[in-house]
Amino acid sequence: QEQLVESGGGLVHPGGSLRLSCAASGSILGIEVMAWYRQAPGNQRELVAFITLDGNTGYADSVKGRFTISRDSAKNSLNLQMNNLKPDDTAVYYCEIRGSWGQGIQVTVSS
């Protein structure tokens, strides 16, 4: 089972940017799909973005045009660039790789 560690979260003003990274303990070569999820207080965990082995990506409607998911096989990491952040983006963000989950990292968007 993969050990995953997220980093890059924090507090940012509306309109700001953050870059989340998820470091995997093993190689991510050949993993077909990897994803970022988030869970806001009182809400269910929701899919934010995914990326396939071929580099195809998909996004939740609420983040399209603002978030970009990418994978770095050389560093065994999954990344999420988040731009033009909004208060509704406030949540704990989780990476998911091959059924394993990170511990989650807080992102807070507030003025």
Side-chain angles (χ1 to χ4, degrees):
Q1 192 170 5
E2 293 283 352
Q3 300 294 316
L4 306 175
V5 178
E6 296 107 338
S7 62
L11 173 64
V12 64
H13 293 308
S17 298
L18 286 173
R19 181 177 176 84
L20 303 184
S21 291
C22 173
S25 59
S27 173
I28 65 171
L29 287 173
I31 295 180
E32 294 187 353
V33 182
M34 299 187 290
W36 284 96
Y37 289 76
R38 68 186 181 186
Q39 186 168 16
N43 292 354
Q44 292 186 335
R45 191 171 297 186
E46 63 173 355
L47 176 66
V48 175
F50 68 87
I51 185 167
T52 71
L53 185 60
D54 294 337
N56 294 317
T57 57
Y59 298 91
D61 287 344
S62 59
V63 307
K64 280 181 182 176
R66 300 188 297 120
F67 290 13
T68 302
I69 190 172
S70 62
R71 57 193 290 169
D72 186 337
S73 295
K75 296 182 179 180
N76 294 323
S77 68
L78 176 68
N79 305 304
L80 186 69
Q81 178 66 42
M82 306 185 294
N83 297 329
N84 190 21
L85 283 160
K86 303 177 180 180
D88 284 350
D89 296 318
T90 296
V92 177
Y93 284 70
Y94 300 87
C95 59
E96 185 270 326
I97 298 177
R98 201 178 267 168
S100 295
W101 295 83
Q103 81 284 358
I105 191 161
Q106 180 69 45
V107 170
T108 302
V109 185
S110 175
S111 56

